[in-house]
Amino acid sequence: MSSQHPVTVRAAAKINLHLGVGAPREDGFHPLTTVYQAVGLCDDVTAHPADELSLEVDGSDWIDVDVVPTDGANLAHRAAVLLGSHHGRDLTGRLVVEKAIPVAGGLAGGSADAAAALVALDRLHDLGTSDDDLLRIAAELGSDVPFALIGGTALGTGRGELVESVGDVGTWWWVIVPSREGLSTPAVYRHFDKLFPKADPTPPDAEGLLSALRTGQPISLARTLHNDLQEPAVDLRPELGTLIEHGESEGALRGIVSGSGPTVVFLCESADHARDLAGALMRTGHPVVLVANGAVAGSHVVPSHV
Ligand code: ATP
């Protein structure tokens, strides 16, 4: 039986604490060893009962919603189609995506929406899809979608779609600085291939970072943050390098490009430290500076307060 009430599911942005990239495989994908962390910057997807499938996108002031497709190209829409075909039926629902995650920012906002849509439609139609099936469908939608389902802190292998939660005893405070203009993930990978034509097929492992997570000490984590896509991203957008230097000179423990960029994230000692750094960056001309902590939960239903 389907729910007569709308179902809202919240999904978090991810940052990559470690992003090791290997030489492209035969299928064109780059093998990854990555450590994802879900941070408290979230999109909400609400599935309303309806006679057909439709999608609307709305968002916070700093989000350029006009560049987000509302047709079959939207990852949340694709999620609905794939979940439907898994159950052998066409799924209906009016999907309303409320975005707070910057678009094309290296924070996997589209993947978050896809994961949220899977859970929302599963509940709306009471489909009872197993976790394993949801993870399989998520992996078909994109490399970051399985992580958007599970959240927390997780090791990702394969092309990032094989995820397993890892021990993380810390509460980590981040300052997140989005860019005005997005950066295309495929373009950054192409630039990686150009800069590193002899890259090892095996991506660098995350052992140092995984140990640091178990200490709970921000300074240890700061020393082990690693992103193989940072050099190509900064080469394409030199202002990102300037921003990292600036944030570190203002006291960040460490600044790093998130995923393929262009968002830059700064690790801080504490919530107060993060708020101070955010204030300093805003005073020097960055219009949007966000503070978030991690790790937070994966895709989950938000109780309605009606
Ligand atoms: P990725 O690394 O997966 O590309 P990203 O965080 O850099 O992630 P997204 O915000 O997911 O980037 O968007 C990448 C592109 O995907 C956008 O330029 C947009 O055209 C398209 N897209 C499709 N569905 C969505 C969605 N629900 N939200 C945002 N963008 C979407």
Side-chain angles (χ1 to χ4, degrees):
M1 205 185 65
S2 297
S3 164
Q4 295 308 301
H5 301 289
V7 180
T8 298
V9 174
R10 183 160 293 166
K14 64 82 187 160
I15 57 182
N16 301 84
L17 308 179
H18 174 96
L19 182 50
V21 180
R25 313 188 299 205
E26 272 184 5
D27 63 4
F29 283 105
H30 291 76
L32 303 182
T33 299
T34 186
V35 178
Y36 297 105
Q37 183 165 89
V39 295
L41 173 64
C42 300
D43 285 358
D44 282 351
V45 176
T46 302
H48 297 265
D51 293 334
E52 48 189 37
L53 180 63
S54 67
L55 184 134
E56 294 155 37
V57 181
D58 207 346
S60 312
D61 297 349
W62 64 85
I63 305 286
D64 193 1
V65 287
D66 295 345
V67 302
V68 179
T70 52
D71 57 9
N74 193 295
L75 270 179
H77 193 286
R78 287 188 50 212
V81 173
L82 224 54
L83 183 65
S85 66
H86 174 76
H87 289 284
R89 55 186 274 202
D90 289 333
L91 290 183
T92 59
R94 181 166 74 89
L95 295 175
V96 180
V97 181
E98 187 72 32
K99 291 197 75 71
I101 306 174
V103 180
L107 297 166
S111 302
D113 299 346
L118 286 178
V119 176
L121 286 167
D122 179 71
R123 299 298 154 84
L124 182 74
H125 294 289
D126 205 11
L127 298 173
T129 317
S130 70
D131 288 352
D132 280 353
D133 284 344
L134 281 176
L135 283 168
R136 245 191 307 276
I137 297 166
E140 261 185 74
L141 287 162
S143 304
D144 296 337
V145 186
F147 175 71
L149 282 175
I150 70 167
T153 305
L155 178 67
T157 52
R159 52 181 167 81
E161 85 285 17
L162 305 170
V163 285
E164 107 189 57
S165 295
V166 296
D168 176 3
V169 301
T171 298
W172 314 100
W173 285 94
W174 300 95
V175 170
I176 300 174
V177 188
S179 276
R180 246 181 273 266
E181 207 190 318
L183 197 49
S184 144
T185 302
V188 177
Y189 274 104
R190 277 196 301 275
H191 204 53
F192 172 89
D193 293 338
K194 202 170 131 198
L195 291 179
F196 306 109
K198 296 200 165 75
D200 199 309
T202 307
D205 72 39
E207 290 313 314
L209 182 116
L210 292 172
S211 305
L213 281 172
R214 291 190 291 265
T215 70
Q217 298 297 324
I219 193 69
S220 306
L221 190 68
R223 287 195 195 106
T224 53
L225 295 171
H226 174 88
N227 182 0
D228 281 338
L229 293 183
Q230 178 156 312
E231 201 174 320
V234 170
D235 207 43
L236 291 169
R237 296 276 283 275
E239 70 271 20
L240 301 182
T242 313
L243 171 58
I244 290 172
E245 278 171 27
H246 179 51
E248 290 180 347
S249 74
E250 291 284 354
L253 296 178
R254 180 91 188 275
I256 190 167
V257 168
S258 175
S260 55
T263 304
V264 169
V265 297
F266 293 100
L267 181 61
C268 295
E269 282 281 0
S270 62
D272 282 347
H273 181 206
R275 277 190 285 268
D276 288 349
L277 177 66
L281 291 172
M282 282 171 115
R283 282 191 294 279
T284 52
H286 294 282
V288 181
V289 181
L290 309 164
V291 172
N293 72 337
V296 301
S299 303
H300 60 280
V301 174
V302 182
S304 65
H305 298 289
V306 280

